[in-house]
Amino acid sequence: MAADSEFIARLDFYLLYVLLLSVVHGQQQAVFSAFLASAGYCVLQMYDRTGFEVLLDYNTYVWMAQLFIVGLTVGYMRDQLKFVRNENRSRVRYLSGQLKDIEDINDSNVRMKHNFEEQIVNHKESLGKIYEISSTLEQYGPEEVLFYAAQVLSRLMDTPDVAVYTVANGDYARLFSATSPEARRLGNSIRYTAMEEMYEELKARRVYINRTMEQKMPMMASAVYAEGDMQLILMLWSIPWQRMTLGEANRLTIVGYLIQNAVVHANRYLEALRNRRYVEGTNVLDEEAFTQLAKAFSDARDKGLAEYVLLQLLVEKQDYENVAAALGGAIRQTDYLGILRGGKLYALLPNTNKEQIGGVVERFRQSGYECRIDEEAVI
C-alpha cells in the first residue's frame, strides 16, 4: 500500500509493527509479532520472485534478524521496566503498611505516656482525693452512705456513670443508687451469678475488667465484702479502654475498701440502735428512724441518685406486729416498713417507679391490706 508513496515507502512498517507491540506488550508478543512480520515480508517478496529465490536471499535473513533483535531487546527492556515498577509499587504498599503500624504504635505509646504522666503529676492530688472522699462519706448519716458512695466513686474514678448494687441473696442484687441513666442499663434487679466472667472475678475478690468491650457489661466492676459475704457490687460504665489498666483497677480496689469501711461503720451503728429504731417485736421502723430514711431517699432522688415509691397502707388500727407479720412475704428484702405522720404505716420501695408497683400492690391486697401512693408524706 505504501509502495506508490514517495515519503511513506521509505518506512519499514513491519519493523514499526514489531517495535510497537514490543513496547506495549513485552518480549513474548515481540517474538510472535516478528514471526508474523517475517511471514508477511516473505509473502510480499513472492509477488516479484519465487519462494525459493526469497529463501536463498541472505538479505531476507538479515532483515528477519533485525526484526527479532529489535523486538527482543525492546520487549526485554519493557518487561524489566514493568517488573521494577511493580516491585516499587509493592515496596511502597509494604512500607505504607509499616508506616501505618508505626503510627498506630506511636499513638498508643503517646496515650500511655500521657496516662503515666497524668498519674505521676496527680499522684499527690490522688492521695488528697482519697482522704477527701473518705472524710466525705463519714460526714453523711448512716442512711445516706450508700447513696453518696456512688457519687463520690464517680468523682474519684472520673466517670459519670456509676451504679451501686446491694446483694439481696445468693443470686440476685438490687440497684441501690446510680449517677446516670446509662448506669441503670442492667435494670433494678440483676442475677449477677449468671454473669459468669464478672462473677468469677468478683468471687475471687478481684476487679472485673471488660477486656472484650461487651456492651451489655460494665467496663469495670468490684465487690465490697463484709464478714466474708458479698454486700455490694460497684459498677463503672463509660471508661475509655486506655484507662482500663492495672493502676485503675488498684484505685477501684482502694475506693472499694473505703466504701466498705463506711458501710460497715454505718451498719454497725444502725445495728447498735436497732432496739431504738424498730417498733418492738416487728421490722417496722419507728417514726423518727423512718422519717430520716425517707428524707435520705428523697434527697437522693432530687440529686438523681435513686428512685423510690412511698405507699401508705390503709390500716384501721396501729397493730404493727400483725401487719408486719402479714406483709412479711409481700415485701422484698430491700423494702422498708415504717411509721410517718402520727402513726400512719408506710412501705418504702427503693428503685421502683409508679409503673412497677402493680405487683406489690396486688400482693398487699392479697394479704388483706389496701395501699395508695403518697407523694407528700415527706417534705
Side-chain angles (χ1 to χ4, degrees), residues 83-185:
F83 174 78
V84 171
R85 188 181 298 113
N86 292 337
E87 186 74 14
N88 289 337
R89 288 175 180 173
S90 299
R91 184 173 299 176
V92 168
R93 285 195 298 268
Y94 172 76
L95 293 177
S96 298
Q98 292 290 96
L99 178 61
K100 183 66 170 58
D101 293 340
I102 292 173
E103 289 175 351
D104 292 340
I105 294 173
N106 182 66
D107 291 341
S108 177
N109 290 338
V110 169
R111 285 193 297 269
M112 292 180 64
K113 172 178 172 289
H114 290 165
N115 190 26
F116 286 133
E117 286 178 351
E118 184 177 355
Q119 290 183 10
I120 294 173
V121 171
N122 296 333
H123 179 66
K124 294 182 180 180
E125 184 183 358
S126 296
L127 293 177
K129 283 184 179 180
I130 292 175
Y131 178 76
E132 177 189 355
I133 296 306
S134 60
S135 300
T136 303
L137 288 177
E138 292 176 357
Q139 294 173 5
Y140 292 114
E143 302 87 357
E144 301 174 307
V145 169
L146 284 183
F147 291 126
Y148 297 99
Q151 195 175 58
V152 296
L153 179 60
S154 172
R155 192 163 72 245
L156 184 58
M157 296 301 297
D158 194 22
T159 175
D161 307 315
V162 174
V164 175
Y165 283 82
T166 58
V167 177
N169 52 46
D171 292 322
Y172 288 89
R174 290 282 300 176
L175 179 64
F176 194 88
S177 63
T179 58
S180 68
E182 176 70 15
R184 302 175 184 271
R185 186 188 302 182

Side-chain angles (χ1 to χ4, degrees), residues 292-339:
Q292 293 177 356
L293 180 67
K295 185 66 166 58
F297 271 93
S298 178
D299 292 341
R301 182 172 62 180
D302 292 341
K303 295 178 181 179
L305 298 175
E307 294 179 330
Y308 76 95
V309 171
L310 199 59
L311 294 177
Q312 181 185 356
L313 296 170
L314 305 178
V315 295
E316 296 180 356
K317 57 181 180 178
Q318 299 179 354
D319 190 7
Y320 303 127
E321 186 173 352
N322 291 333
V323 174
L327 297 180
I331 63 174
R332 302 163 298 186
Q333 292 182 351
T334 54
D335 297 338
Y336 302 92
L337 289 176
I339 303 170

